[in-house]
Amino acid sequence: MWTKMLDVFVTHLFRKGDFSLTYPDGTTRRYGDGGTPSVAMTLHDPALPRRIILSPELAVGEGYMDGTLTLENDDLRGFLTLAVDNIARQGSPWFHRPLDLMRHASRWLKQFNPAKRARANVAHHYDLSGELYDLFLDKDRQYSCAYFARPDMTLEEAQEAKKHHIARKLLLKPGMRVLDIGCGWGGMALTLARDYGAHVVGVTLSEEQHALATRRAAEAGLSDKVQFHLMDYRAVTGTFDRVVSVGMFEHVGVPHYREYFRTVHDLLAEDGVALIHTIGHTDPPGTTNPWILKYIFPGGYCPALSEATRAIEVNQLHSCDIEVWRLHYAETLRHWYDRFMANIDRARDLYDERFCRMWRYYLLACEATFRYNSQVVFQFQLSRQQDAVPLTRDYLYSDAAAEELRHAAE
């Protein structure tokens, strides 16, 4: 029964490209229109057809990690490109929709992230070996979408461009107090202090990030301008001229969206400006891939635009600018994957082969989702007053701003 259902499922899904599937009993069937890419997969575990029908993303990801599912020539990029492109076109078959509805109904529970649970979720991913992140990130350890203002930019140049693009949106002046929610390893905060004269408070729930960010501030001679705290954003007090948050909103969870933006509102000065940078998607509200939820980002979710703006509206914040970055993250992930693969022997020494297969799957699946499906990056520029920012975007792309960006990338 499960093999027959899987055959129906794969027939529905793979209509473009050439997909060859060998079932556990040795039977091989071909799907698609015979175009490119051409991918061959073999299932070695008799339980896989049932598991794939019940939870395709989780079962396929785990099968690849465990070696119970193999690809000819280990062509993981080809498979994920083919799968994600077809998923975006076809969607789920009719018999899978009740499972999708059940997953959607339970998402609030899975995304319920009070402070204690949020700290555990952060530790799961960000308190991995610090050396792991050195294997694939840029020197500043920017673990969020880079901004490819030119297609030929290096990863380092594009990450610098991202930071300065955000800084210009914040309209910083020397001496301003800035709160960095989810400060990572400190790169954004240090840039705002060093290059713009801001006084920055950064908060994170990751012990590894907090320790390194604090050390970096001391080494840069910026400890008088930048302080990092190991604390939940909801525990921050005071008033700030600017609030910035890059790649953290994905960890907030839908049940806490209104609380998050209420916190931003309350911490922001009356004439202040906030910039929230987050992964999102252009589809209606949905759920997180269960494999990503289990192995990579527990409690995580990337919002639909409607979900974020609804929470912004009820908290008396003006949306001064909403920018959508398309394909920038796909290019960022391509750079990360290439760097990771160049250092995979070191990654294997840190962990093991299963971890390396998991990390490869993570980076390539995310790249494919940004490149062929609905994943994008949103930047919300928010204020409590209508006139807190200029009325046009000219200030972002003036000759002076372009020259500043060029020098930052050099």
Side-chain angles (χ1 to χ4, degrees):
M1 179 186 75
W2 295 108
T3 298
K4 185 175 181 179
M5 288 183 68
L6 181 57
D7 177 56
V8 173
F9 176 70
V10 178
T11 300
H12 164 84
L13 184 61
F14 289 94
R15 299 185 188 179
K16 179 185 176 184
D18 179 20
F19 183 58
S20 171
L21 180 60
T22 300
Y23 289 81
D25 64 2
T27 302
T28 299
R29 296 173 187 166
R30 301 187 79 88
Y31 305 88
D33 60 7
T36 57
S38 180
V39 178
M41 173 186 288
T42 300
L43 306 182
H44 303 280
D45 182 352
L48 270 175
R50 174 183 59 82
R51 292 177 56 214
I52 291 173
I53 288 298
L54 295 178
S55 184
E57 301 101 323
L58 182 61
V60 170
E62 288 183 333
Y64 180 78
M65 288 166 58
D66 296 335
T68 57
L69 172 160
T70 58
L71 297 162
E72 186 176 67
N73 300 319
D74 199 18
D75 186 14
L76 183 58
R77 180 184 292 277
F79 166 69
L80 289 169
T81 296
L82 182 64
V84 173
D85 190 20
N86 275 284
I87 289 169
R89 294 168 184 270
Q90 322 308 344
S92 297
W94 66 267
F95 61 80
H96 206 266
R97 287 170 192 163
L99 297 175
D100 294 338
L101 290 172
M102 289 173 58
R103 211 168 85 181
H104 195 280
S106 66
R107 71 182 191 138
W108 277 64
L109 178 62
K110 293 177 181 177
Q111 295 175 36
F112 180 62
N113 294 321
K116 185 176 180 180
R117 188 174 182 183
R119 185 182 293 269
N121 289 342
V122 166
H124 176 93
H125 191 86
Y126 296 99
D127 285 343
L128 295 170
S129 169
E131 189 178 344
L132 170 67
Y133 293 99
D134 289 333
L135 301 183
F136 68 96
L137 298 182
D138 65 300
K139 293 179 181 178
D140 196 44
R141 278 207 187 184
Q142 289 294 304
Y143 196 22
S144 60
C145 181
Y147 185 56
F148 289 86
R150 301 190 321 271
D152 62 342
M153 275 183 162
T154 66
L155 180 62
E156 273 73 19
E157 289 173 336
Q159 290 293 11
E160 282 294 309
K162 181 265 300 291
K163 289 185 292 180
H164 291 285
H165 187 73
I166 289 172
R168 287 196 296 277
K169 284 189 173 183
L170 288 170
L171 297 152
L172 290 167
K173 296 178 182 178
M176 280 187 168
R177 294 193 73 225
V178 179
L179 173 65
D180 185 355
I181 299 176
C183 61
W185 291 280
M188 177 61 74
L190 295 173
T191 296
L192 299 184
R194 181 186 60 245
D195 298 345
Y196 297 89
H199 292 270
V200 188
V201 173
V203 296
T204 178
L205 291 176
S206 165
E207 294 182 4
E208 289 282 340
Q209 289 183 339
H210 176 256
L212 181 57
T214 301
R215 186 167 71 249
R216 291 181 68 191
E219 292 171 352
L222 292 171
S223 296
D224 60 329
K225 286 190 172 183
V226 184
Q227 290 81 44
F228 297 105
H229 301 289
L230 189 65
M231 65 187 301
D232 191 279
Y233 71 95
R234 289 164 284 201
V236 177
T237 58
T239 302
F240 297 87
D241 301 297
R242 302 290 187 259
V243 174
V244 65
S245 183
V246 181
M248 179 271 178
F249 190 66
E250 300 92 326
H251 303 284
V252 169
V254 174
H256 305 279
Y257 281 3
R258 294 193 178 193
E259 179 183 27
Y260 175 89
F261 286 112
R262 170 53 55 183
T263 301
V264 170
H265 174 278
D266 293 347
L267 293 173
L268 198 59
E270 191 65 31
D271 60 349
V273 177
L275 193 287
I276 313 301
H277 169 117
T278 180
I279 300 171
H281 60 92
T282 57
D283 288 338
T287 59
T288 302
N289 178 307
W291 184 86
I292 292 287
L293 200 63
K294 180 176 180 178
Y295 290 99
I296 308 298
F297 295 118
Y301 173 68
C302 302
L305 183 61
S306 59
E307 293 174 296
T309 54
R310 187 176 300 116
I312 291 168
E313 292 164 357
V314 300
N315 279 298
Q316 299 176 311
L317 287 166
H318 295 284
S319 294
C320 300
D321 190 283
I322 300 175
E323 186 174 5
V324 182
W325 290 8
R326 295 160 291 108
L327 297 176
H328 290 270
Y329 221 145
E331 290 304 306
T332 304
L333 285 152
R334 179 178 62 83
H335 279 277
W336 287 351
Y337 179 79
D338 290 345
R339 290 180 176 215
F340 180 76
M341 292 305 294
N343 294 293
I344 196 166
D345 289 339
R346 290 172 59 195
R348 201 174 285 115
D349 291 340
L350 287 172
Y351 291 98
D352 56 23
E353 180 61 30
R354 186 175 188 268
F355 180 91
C356 290
R357 291 171 73 84
M358 177 186 76
W359 211 257
R360 285 187 64 216
Y361 194 90
Y362 155 53
L363 294 174
L364 284 175
C366 289
E367 179 189 341
T369 304
F370 278 99
R371 199 174 295 281
Y372 301 107
N373 210 330
S374 62
Q375 210 90 321
V376 295
V377 169
F378 297 130
Q379 282 193 346
F380 299 96
Q381 186 192 52
L382 310 172
S383 69
R384 296 175 63 173
Q385 293 182 347
Q386 288 248 34
D387 58 355
V389 304
L391 298 183
T392 74
R393 282 180 171 173
D394 291 352
Y395 71 99
L396 291 175
Y397 307 109
S398 66
D399 291 341
E403 184 68 13
E404 172 191 278
L405 180 61
R406 186 178 69 78
H407 284 304
E410 290 178 347

